[in-house]
Amino acid sequence: MLNIKDLKVTVENTPILKGLDLAVGAGEVHAIMGPNGSGKSTLGHVLAGRDEYEVTGGSVEYQGKDLLDLEPEERAREGLFLAFQYPVEIPGVNNTYLLKAALNAVRKHRGESEVDAVEFLQLIKDKMKIMDMDESFLSRGVNEGFSGGEKKRNEILQMLVMEPKLAILDETDSGLDIDALKVVAEGVNALRREDRSIVLITHYQRLLDYIKPDHVHVLSGGKIVKSGDHTLALELEEHGYDWLKKEAASA
Amino acid sequence: MSGEQSNSARNYELAHAEVAHQLPSGGWLDTLRREALARFGRQGFPTRRDEDWKYTSLKSIEKQRFVPATGAGAEPDAAWLDQCRIEGLEAIRLVFVDGFFDAGLSAIGELPEGVRVQSLAAALADESEPLKGRLGAVADEDMHRFAALNTAFVADGAWLHVPADVELEKPVHLLFVTTADDTPRLVQPRVLVSAGRHSKLTLIEHYADPAGASAFTNVVTEIDAGEGARVEHYLLQEHDSAAYHVGSVHVAQQADSAYVSHNVNLGGALVRHDIHPRMLGEGAHTVMNGLFLVGDGQHVDNHTRVDHAVPHTGSDEYYKGVLWGKGRAVFNGKVIIHRDAQKTDASQYNGNLLLSPMAEIDTKPELEIYADDVKAAHGATVGQLDEDALFYLRSRGLDARAAREVLTFAFAGDVVARMGLAPLRERLEAAIAQRLPGGGLA
Ligand SMILES: Nc1ncnc2c1ncn2[C@@H]1O[C@H](COP(=O)(O)OP(=O)(O)OP(=O)(O)O)[C@@H](O)[C@H]1O
Ligand SMILES: [Mg+2]
């Protein structure tokens, strides 16, 4: 599905990712944890195609293609989805408009016909039920005035509509109350299929209770410094990152 | 005054002499016209040394010889004219070709008792002299020199009168079109509106040209809003990109009257609007909405001036501009709160979106406050499209062009939403989508 090799990325001449390797197979769930500022969101943005990040080395292969060669919208249509850590508010652009445009963009790309207003409304209502979202969100501007938790739900709603192959969720669990966390986890689990992969960027073990990862990685200082199974997350929860830094220093 | 100035003014005097015998005449009208011509001759063309014209050069107009239109022989293309209709709008429709009323193309229909909707020429020819004491009564020709030029040539246009307590349900659509041929024309219609006490009317002043028409339109609109009257005024400027337009709107507002202006600028090479409501009676209220889309080779200058002359009046101004290419625009919003105008509530905003680094806007709010118990707020912004929002939309599958258009549209959308007539909003939305660089919403 995704194969990242020795990825090096700089922002405004500051190296952020310094030789990152990560392989995600079809159907797998990976969790990426790591200290603040270690480069987790940078990785997400680079994969989604944000151009202010400069890739200075390495390669990213996605479904057999050179991902770095594609425009952000092409990546999205090819099934790569990033749920943003900080979703953008876009006043004046209707939430429904964006959801429908997003859906039709991927459908068109897959050679399917565009949905009409009636079909769309039915589809979106079903997905909103999963996300326990009120229909009034449809008539508002994209994320406009949404609370932190509502924005995160809206991200997952978009994901459910676009049905990506590879979903990268950047701290979608942060700022959610306990019930909302369950709802978001249900949303993610509703998407799971053996040909779909999920990368969860998170600081907390709690989300991983609901979505059990196959692999857990620690990103620190722009590299994956440790990988393991779900028990690694428990270990991190207990001991923090200090022991890893020491381990890295002595290595 | 420079020699150059009087030279170009002189050209207009000569042109005037050539058509003078064709202009309607009569005692008071001749006097009015003569005085206006003399005034324009004295003042001449404004230059950039004039504070009000600092950012707008009239050189491109001055160096050309525009021939005064006489309304003879010109006929617009029927298919093209059809596109100028506002779809879905049921209106009283008056069409003017090169500034002259064309009865054959117009449809006025039955009017409520006492309502007058007719050509200015017909009203000038009326023996009961309905325009005497009205024409030129609201316009301030010392402040607006081109208004004097218009008066000097006044021959045709529209005369609207709605008597007291009458609500004119159908909007009045005044469509001004020009015709294209080798001689660029000087087109000078006049619009005169009198809204009686507690009357209501909606007026659409609409300008359009066939492709390549480089006429110079100099229009004056005078609106007298009686006590408690409500006048909603759309200015829809869809000129061809070769056209020149100078226009001023003068409004006298009596107590408790409401004047609502929607000033939309989509076309033109050089466009200047002056909108000047004066609140003369307590409880009067003005709303001014504006939208200008300005691309390569275009210069659009909006000057508004609101005079709060008495207590308890309000004004609410909201203008937005979208510029691209080498487009240039000027916004100058003057709000004058006179000494006696206590309890005035005035707000003004001008937001601008620059889609290219070459585009330029000069925006300037000017608040002059001589009363002490007032509320006045103003703000101006100039910005680019939000890169984060662009990326967000693209990450949801919208291509770069569509994403830019969606955001531009969102920026302009709230001004459009302030306009009451749905068919106009729809026309505007389509026009915006079409005029934006790239064109066409995905
Ligand atoms: N546009 C930018 N300009 C300058 N520095 C940036 C930019 N984007 C990211 N950085 C820097 O890159 C580093 C990595 O940031 P990133 O957002 O990827 O961290 P993170 O691992 O997601 O942290 P967190 O857990 O707090 O979300 C930080 O030091 C950040 O300040
Ligand atoms: Mg982050």
Side-chain angles (χ1 to χ4, degrees), chain B residues 3-320:
Chain B
E4 205 183 327
Q5 256 180 342
S6 32
N7 262 344
S8 51
R10 182 84 194 122
N11 287 339
Y12 286 82
E13 285 171 349
L14 291 172
H16 189 273
E18 271 174 45
V19 295
H21 66 281
Q22 295 177 42
L23 298 172
S25 63
W28 62 271
L29 186 59
D30 291 340
T31 312
L32 196 71
R33 208 190 266 122
R34 199 168 45 241
E35 282 173 2
L37 187 65
R39 184 176 283 131
F40 184 74
R42 267 197 315 276
Q43 297 184 327
F45 260 64
T47 72
R48 295 183 62 178
R49 283 189 297 275
D50 292 283
E51 191 56 34
D52 275 351
W53 292 86
K54 197 168 168 185
Y55 299 108
T56 297
S57 162
L58 292 165
K59 287 239 161 62
S60 54
I61 291 180
E62 276 183 88
K63 70 179 185 216
Q64 292 188 60
R65 278 294 190 96
F66 295 97
V67 177
T70 56
E75 216 170 293
D77 176 70
W80 171 77
L81 201 60
D82 212 44
Q83 295 168 20
C84 299
R85 279 173 200 280
I86 297 169
E87 220 177 288
L89 182 80
E90 247 203 82
I92 298 164
R93 182 175 141 107
L94 282 75
V95 178
F96 301 83
V97 180
D98 292 332
F100 290 85
F101 180 62
D102 188 321
L105 297 173
S106 303
I108 294 176
E110 286 274 322
L111 295 172
E113 174 130 19
V115 172
R116 285 273 172 191
V117 178
Q118 63 179 171
S119 77
L120 198 84
L124 286 173
D126 188 332
E127 283 180 2
S128 70
E129 302 194 312
L131 306 191
K132 187 179 173 183
R134 282 200 162 111
L135 190 71
V138 179
D140 183 335
E141 294 180 1
D142 282 322
M143 199 181 296
H144 303 281
R145 302 181 195 185
F146 285 100
L149 183 66
N150 177 288
T151 303
F153 283 81
V154 71
D156 207 352
W159 160 236
L160 274 64
H161 172 69
V162 182
D165 302 311
V166 173
E167 181 175 338
L168 190 58
E169 268 172 50
K170 277 192 194 170
V172 179
H173 182 195
L174 306 177
L175 174 61
F176 296 92
V177 299
T178 60
T179 50
D181 65 16
D182 299 339
T183 24
R185 295 209 167 87
L186 175 62
V187 174
Q188 302 201 81
R190 182 90 165 205
V191 178
L192 197 54
V193 178
S194 142
R197 298 183 60 202
H198 300 287
S199 68
K200 261 190 190 176
L201 97 120
T202 299
L203 165 71
I204 303 159
E205 220 180 296
H206 182 186
Y207 297 89
D209 313 296
S214 57
F216 171 26
T217 299
N218 173 38
V219 60
V220 173
T221 303
E222 292 182 274
I223 299 172
D224 187 0
E227 198 181 309
R230 181 186 166 87
V231 178
E232 188 144 355
H233 182 202
Y234 291 82
L235 245 172
L236 179 57
Q237 189 271 102
E238 293 183 337
H239 276 302
D240 182 71
S241 56
Y244 303 91
H245 182 110
V246 173
S248 54
V249 177
H250 313 255
V251 190
Q253 286 188 253
Q254 304 307 326
D256 298 319
S257 64
Y259 171 65
V260 181
S261 155
H262 308 284
N263 173 13
V264 177
N265 284 279
L266 300 174
L270 175 59
V271 176
R272 163 70 178 244
H273 287 300
D274 281 272
I275 300 182
H276 185 182
R278 275 178 295 149
M279 275 165 276
L280 307 170
E282 291 193 19
H285 193 84
T286 294
V287 177
M288 288 193 284
N289 299 320
L291 177 65
F292 44 98
L293 304 188
V294 185
D296 250 346
Q298 288 187 279
H299 181 110
V300 175
D301 178 346
N302 282 300
H303 266 63
T304 63
R305 173 188 166 125
V306 192
D307 275 289
H308 294 269
V310 294
H312 295 285
T313 57
S315 64
D316 169 13
E317 181 166 21
Y318 195 78
Y319 266 64
K320 276 191 169 178

Side-chain angles (χ1 to χ4, degrees), chain A residues 11-12 16 34-42 52-53 85 171 203:
Chain A
V11 182
E12 283 160 15
I16 309 287
N36 293 134
S38 57
K40 302 180 298 296
S41 294
T42 301
E52 56 183 73
Y53 297 89
Q85 182 175 359
E171 294 200 27
H203 285 296

Side-chain angles (χ1 to χ4, degrees), chain A residues 45 48-50 71-73 76-77 81-82 84 90-93 97-98 102 105 143 155 158 162, chain B residues 386-402 406-407 409-411 441-442:
Chain A
H45 278 123
R50 181 97 203 214
E71 295 293 327
E73 57 270 29
R77 293 169 193 173
F81 182 88
L82 172 67
F84 287 73
I90 316 182
V93 176
Y97 170 84
L98 177 58
N143 295 321
E155 293 292 286
Q158 291 171 0
M162 294 177 79
Chain B
D386 179 357
E387 287 294 331
D388 291 334
L390 271 176
F391 178 62
Y392 190 79
L393 293 176
R394 293 179 74 188
S395 78
R396 299 308 182 240
L398 278 74
D399 65 45
R401 201 169 98 179
V406 166
L407 292 180
F409 213 77
F411 174 81
L441 261 179

